[in-house]
Amino acid sequence: MALIQCSDCHTDVSDAAAACPRCGAPLPVTLKQGQEQCPWCMSVVDAQASICPGCRARKGYATNAYGVMGKGSVIAFGLVLPLVITAVFPPAGLLLVPVALFCAWRLKRGPVWYQTTRVGG
């Protein structure tokens, strides 16, 4: 067994351990094909999953006041709507160009995990 370094306290820990014995932080595990690890709770989940069973984090392309947005929502509200507003109200629509650029970048990059529950609250 090899030693890896805890990302929280930088202690050397066995790669077979599930958590750091010093600080208790969960440690990364070796993943099989089609699996990924939740960055919030370190649970192993299916790569196609959209909700982590360990901490209920959600995978998506962006967030807003209502939660995590899927691909369709980002396209509709981040690309199409700003383009329509720009076509109808050109001066005001120019303010939405950064939103459209961000949404295009997020769509190109792919979905990421968002923590949806507040820690300690």
Side-chain angles (χ1 to χ4, degrees):
M1 287 183 229
L3 292 177
I4 57 174
Q5 196 173 60
C6 173
S7 60
D8 286 359
C9 69
H10 305 292
T11 302
D12 288 333
V13 183
S14 168
D15 63 351
C20 175
R22 181 171 180 220
C23 70
L27 299 173
V29 297
T30 304
L31 300 172
K32 298 175 186 165
Q33 188 172 359
Q35 291 181 328
E36 60 185 56
Q37 195 167 17
C38 173
W40 304 106
C41 70
M42 305 305 266
S43 296
V44 176
V45 297
D46 184 76
Q48 301 301 317
S50 59
I51 299 175
C52 172
C55 67
R56 309 302 292 166
R58 293 183 172 268
K59 189 190 266 187
Y61 290 86
T63 61
N64 61 19
Y66 302 105
V68 178
M69 297 171 67
K71 194 174 199 174
S73 295
V74 171
I75 290 171
F77 296 110
L79 293 176
V80 175
L81 186 61
L83 290 174
V84 169
I85 291 172
T86 302
V88 176
F89 305 108
L94 292 177
L95 298 174
L96 297 174
V97 169
V99 172
L101 291 174
F102 170 76
C103 290
W105 174 75
R106 282 297 320 130
L107 288 168
K108 183 177 187 219
R109 194 160 169 241
V112 295
W113 289 99
Y114 292 97
Q115 192 171 22
T116 55
T117 56
R118 295 184 182 173
V119 177

